[in-house]
Amino acid sequence: MKENEFISNKKYNLIDNGNVSSECPSNIALIKYWGKFEKQIPANASLSYTLSNSFTRTKIDFELKNTFSVSVFLDGVENIKFAEKIEKYFISIEKYVPFILKYSYKIYTKNSFPHSSGIASSASGFGALAICLMKMDELFSQTDDFQTEKTSFLARLGSGSASRSLYKGLVVWGENNSIENSSDLYATLFPFEIEDKIKSFCDSILLVHEGEKKVSSTVGHNLMNNHPFAKQRFLQADENIKKIIPIIKEGNLMEFGNIIESEALTLHAMMMTSSPYFILMQPQTVSVIQKIWEFRNDTKLPIFFTLDAGANVHILYPKSIEELAKNFINKELLVFSQNKKVIHDFVQF
Ligand code: DP6
């Protein structure tokens, strides 16, 4: 679909007040989105697993008013910073949901996971918000043509990675030659055969460091604008998408893990070589990575890591080795976590 197909020309029957609610999971990127152009267009295609236990639940109370306003309550506590962000977001998407500025909103939102845990709350948060907006659209237009593509399109305009959270399983966002119908505007399901082991992945998130991120993703993406290696990196990501397609089909776990780990390290390498430069890993992050490599070398078990733009480590493994992996995490990795915390999550198809 093209951008102008998302512009709404529907007739709406606005109601005075009401509420809508939704739930949306977070996701973890295997092939990373890092670098974007204007209007939230990604510099390369990305691929992610949608999680299950880590989600945002959002309820919106809306009231028809002369003045548009937004208040946000995170875990029951008013959050002015989020309200300002969402207000700007609502203003920016008026073309696509034309009733949006006619209301005053109270938004109540909750994450099932702790703040600053290395789980992207912007992905699940904007995903949940976009679902609520589409529900309002249906309610006012008295149609039931809920489109996941449009929801993903709206979520993307809030946060790029949120576009991927609208689908379960393996999800692609960004145009890529090897994936027909892939789009920069919204995410789509990974369209090829997926071997069973790849469908059964667990993600245990080891909280190495809890606290605010040192680099926001907006600042991080901007660092790719004048980055000396940007062009090469964008090509590499697109190439990795192409390479991973047959690997996913065959279920070649070692090659799968190889691309995922390389993507995580490349993301951090980009931050280390940008201007200004950052190290977002902590010493414990590196220790955990080394332990995973040692364990994998000794046992030949398919256990891998990936990283977000932070210090926490996502440990990825197929369900068939869940018990062994959890024992290893408890015995050998938990010592590297600030508060001995690990969040166990998994992917559903
Ligand atoms: C490292 O989606 O948070 O998690 O579009 O500015 O909201 P904005 O960025 P965001 O960036 C995510 C970056 C990443 C990689 C990924 O999820 O692909």
Side-chain angles (χ1 to χ4, degrees), residues 308-319:
D308 241 327
N312 299 322
V313 186
H314 288 249
I315 305 157
L316 298 166
Y317 51 89
K319 193 143 183 66

Side-chain angles (χ1 to χ4, degrees), residues 206-209 214 265 268 272 279-293 307 310-313 332-333 335-338:
L206 190 77
L207 306 193
V208 165
H209 182 80
K214 272 186 265 155
L265 293 178
H268 282 254
M272 290 186 207
I279 299 184
L280 294 187
M281 291 190 219
Q282 294 285 329
Q284 296 86 330
T285 312
V286 179
S287 301
V288 170
I289 292 174
Q290 278 165 341
K291 282 277 173 199
I292 292 175
W293 284 346
L307 305 166
N312 299 322
V313 186
E332 309 245 1
L333 302 186
V335 290
F336 298 108
S337 151
Q338 201 179 12

Side-chain angles (χ1 to χ4, degrees), residues 170-209:
L170 262 179
V171 185
V172 185
W173 167 48
E175 229 173 284
N176 181 283
N177 284 342
S178 315
I179 302 189
E180 221 187 313
N181 297 328
S182 55
S183 170
D184 285 344
L185 301 179
Y186 51 89
T188 48
L189 274 175
F190 179 79
F192 303 105
E193 197 182 323
I194 304 168
E195 204 269 347
D196 282 349
K197 291 191 285 288
I198 307 270
K199 282 189 180 167
S200 77
F201 258 70
C202 300
D203 179 8
S204 295
I205 305 135
L206 190 77
L207 306 193
V208 165
H209 182 80

Side-chain angles (χ1 to χ4, degrees), residues 16-74:
D16 285 347
N17 54 56
N19 64 71
V20 282
S21 46
S22 70
E23 232 177 71
C24 184
S26 187
N27 68 75
I28 178 68
L30 306 176
I31 302 212
K32 307 289 182 183
Y33 148 56
W34 197 243
K36 62 178 169 185
F37 308 124
E38 262 178 45
K39 298 190 181 169
Q40 293 280 98
I41 297 300
N44 59 264
S46 55
L47 176 76
S48 60
Y49 267 146
T50 296
L51 299 175
S52 307
N53 295 333
S54 310
F55 59 85
T56 299
R57 184 172 287 146
T58 296
K59 174 174 173 263
I60 302 188
D61 286 351
F62 54 86
E63 201 181 339
L64 203 56
K65 278 259 175 85
N66 293 331
T67 47
F68 159 68
S69 72
V70 178
S71 330
V72 177
F73 300 86
L74 175 64

